[in-house]
Amino acid sequence: MTQEETISESIVEAAARVLLRVAFVFEPLAPTAINVLMNQQLHRFKESGAIGNYKTHTKRLGKFHYRIEMNLEVTGMQTIHLLSNMFPNQLSRFRRWFHD
């Protein structure tokens, strides 16, 4: 059984090394992928009426470090709804002022 464990461990280690190499090769393309994923999610929010309009920009600062800028057009009620979903515990004491 110890030989089976060592074979499986070596296979996992080899696979991890290959995946890390592949990740480093495609890492410079990550800002484009991040933009696509952000735009898909924000488009769903726009269709549901949670936000008005949006614009995103992702910049690669270094290896695995990115700056993501999102510009959202929201009304007052949309802002209250977004904040209450993002910070439910922090805004619970002010609930009487925020009516959905």
Side-chain angles (χ1 to χ4, degrees), residues 6 9 11 16-17 31-32 41 49 54 60 67 83-84 89:
T6 58
E9 288 174 358
I11 291 173
R17 283 193 301 266
T32 305
Q41 187 63 38
Y54 62 89
R60 182 175 186 253
R67 175 179 294 140
L83 288 175
S84 65
N89 295 333

Side-chain angles (χ1 to χ4, degrees), residues 37-81:
L37 294 173
M38 294 290 294
N39 284 332
Q40 287 177 352
Q41 187 63 38
L42 289 172
H43 184 70
R44 289 186 200 121
F45 286 141
K46 182 178 179 182
E47 285 181 342
S48 69
I51 61 173
N53 202 0
Y54 62 89
K55 183 178 178 183
T56 62
H57 178 72
T58 305
K59 182 178 179 180
R60 182 175 186 253
L61 301 176
K63 188 179 281 190
F64 299 112
H65 291 85
Y66 308 97
R67 175 179 294 140
I68 301 171
E69 296 178 11
M70 294 188 323
N71 294 324
L72 304 175
E73 291 181 12
V74 293
T75 64
M77 290 305 292
Q78 289 171 334
T79 303
I80 291 169
H81 181 72

Side-chain angles (χ1 to χ4, degrees), residues 4-18:
E4 288 178 9
E5 291 175 0
T6 58
I7 291 172
S8 65
E9 288 174 358
S10 64
I11 291 173
V12 169
E13 289 175 8
R17 283 193 301 266
V18 169

Side-chain angles (χ1 to χ4, degrees), residues 81-99:
H81 181 72
L82 288 173
L83 288 175
S84 65
N85 286 333
M86 289 177 12
F87 306 108
N89 295 333
Q90 291 82 356
L91 295 178
S92 64
R93 66 183 84 152
F94 303 110
R95 189 46 115 183
R96 62 182 174 191
W97 293 312
F98 296 127
H99 301 289

